[in-house]
Amino acid sequence: TFQTSIGFQRQLGNTMSFEADYVYSKGTDEKDVVENINLSYNPATGTNNPSSNRALRPYPDWGVVSMNTHLARSGYHALQTGFQKRFANRWQGSATYTFSGLWNADTPPFSGLEPVPFYTVPDLGGEWGLSSDDQRHRAVFSGIWEVGRGFQVSGLHFFAGGLRLASSWGADLRQTGAANSQRLRPDGSIIPRNSLIAPAQNRTDVRVQQRIRLGGRFSIDGIAGVFNLFNNQEARGFDDTVESIAGIANPDYLTPNDFGAPRTMRLAVNWSF
């Protein structure tokens, strides 16, 4: 992995600062899995010969053979920004925002122990595009306010764009004997790589605290915190990303699931001495 960054920081007054950085990362020779190397390919079409044709397999006596490789690659670009206001005048705050993109390509197809030396259709491997870990936006805001007489209010708001997800047709129309080629539809179209985007994440947490001094070094803090204040239970994914089951439209396709935690309140008492 090759990594580099360049940025600047600027002080604003006596208590505030702003920073921004461009970050780039390039990955090569990354680990990946080829799900079936026991296939031969047709240079005229760029597609594999059916795995059911035993005579055309590199190893006719074997079935599906998977192999670990280190030929995957990736690229990450990001603008990372941040604002900080240290505690003064009874309050402090911070904000961070990242705008980024992550691209990658898995290993191109293998025939036996050698990569296929000619062009193959993109859904068989080696296609460069946005990664399933790509998340375009991410922002966090937080702050603390000392109201007075031992009373304190703090909060945090988190926002993140949805992660990308892979989708498939649900059948091995390429007849590879494995699951890596299931982006081909019966009409000949190919499902774009990692084309789905999960719902965004949006959450607000707040906390209030009251300190009661008992004299000397003794004090009691009463604390109340609410997580997910607005009870935003957005889905983080989908029940199923397979378009069909046995050629029939999947009724659960893109049904939201994996909802975030509901609004939760916590009460606590701290005794300091």
Side-chain angles (χ1 to χ4, degrees):
T1 301
F2 171 82
Q3 297 177 329
T4 185
S5 65
I6 185 171
F8 73 92
Q9 295 178 325
R10 174 67 178 176
Q11 181 173 324
L12 306 172
N14 295 324
T15 62
M16 295 178 288
S17 66
F18 174 79
E19 61 183 300
D21 296 275
Y22 166 71
V23 179
Y24 170 67
S25 175
K26 177 183 179 181
T28 57
D29 301 330
E30 296 176 335
K31 185 177 179 180
D32 193 20
V33 178
V34 179
E35 296 193 19
N36 189 7
I37 65 171
N38 200 15
L39 290 171
S40 60
Y41 291 80
N42 185 337
T45 62
T47 60
N48 61 285
N49 295 307
S51 63
S52 57
N53 191 335
R54 183 183 295 268
L56 296 180
R57 296 177 188 169
Y59 312 110
D61 294 336
W62 294 1
V64 174
V65 180
S66 63
M67 181 174 71
N68 289 335
T69 69
H70 290 82
L71 295 178
R73 53 198 177 97
S74 65
Y76 174 76
H77 299 266
L79 173 64
Q80 300 177 355
T81 63
F83 170 82
Q84 301 287 335
K85 196 274 184 186
R86 66 179 176 84
F87 190 83
N89 300 321
R90 301 197 303 182
W91 73 281
Q92 73 177 48
S94 68
T96 61
Y97 171 69
T98 299
F99 176 68
S100 65
L102 175 61
W103 290 260
N104 70 355
D106 51 12
T107 300
F110 271 63
S111 183
L113 296 178
E114 298 296 330
V116 179
F118 48 81
Y119 167 82
T120 59
V121 290
D123 56 308
L124 289 178
E127 181 183 12
W128 179 263
L130 287 165
S131 166
S132 60
D133 294 322
D134 175 68
Q135 188 174 50
R136 195 52 44 88
H137 306 280
R138 183 181 179 92
V140 179
F141 307 92
S142 65
I144 299 175
W145 178 29
E146 287 278 6
V147 180
R149 298 183 180 276
F151 186 68
Q152 182 187 92
V153 179
S154 59
L156 179 146
H157 181 75
F158 168 79
F159 170 81
L163 291 171
R164 287 190 171 267
L165 302 172
S167 182
S168 64
W169 169 252
D172 182 20
L173 301 183
R174 296 276 187 210
Q175 299 185 55
T176 66
N180 61 318
S181 65
Q182 294 190 9
R183 287 164 50 198
L184 178 67
R185 297 187 179 103
D187 63 4
S189 63
I190 297 174
I191 299 173
R193 184 171 180 261
N194 300 325
S195 57
L196 301 178
I197 300 179
Q201 303 171 40
N202 203 353
R203 188 186 73 245
T204 302
D205 302 333
V206 296
R207 166 176 152 152
V208 295
Q209 176 176 323
Q210 176 66 59
R211 170 161 294 182
I212 302 174
R213 298 193 178 277
L214 303 178
R217 295 183 301 171
F218 296 89
S219 65
I220 292 178
D221 293 334
I223 301 170
V226 181
F227 302 94
N228 192 8
L229 175 66
F230 300 108
N231 203 31
N232 292 328
Q233 297 183 54
E234 299 101 338
R236 298 179 182 176
F238 304 105
D239 268 339
D240 209 328
T241 58
V242 177
E243 292 187 358
S244 74
I245 300 175
I248 302 174
N250 181 1
D252 294 326
Y253 181 62
L254 300 189
T255 300
N257 75 346
D258 189 22
F259 291 88
R263 179 169 47 223
T264 304
M265 185 173 185
R266 183 186 69 174
L267 301 176
V269 175
N270 289 342
W271 179 31
S272 301
F273 60 93

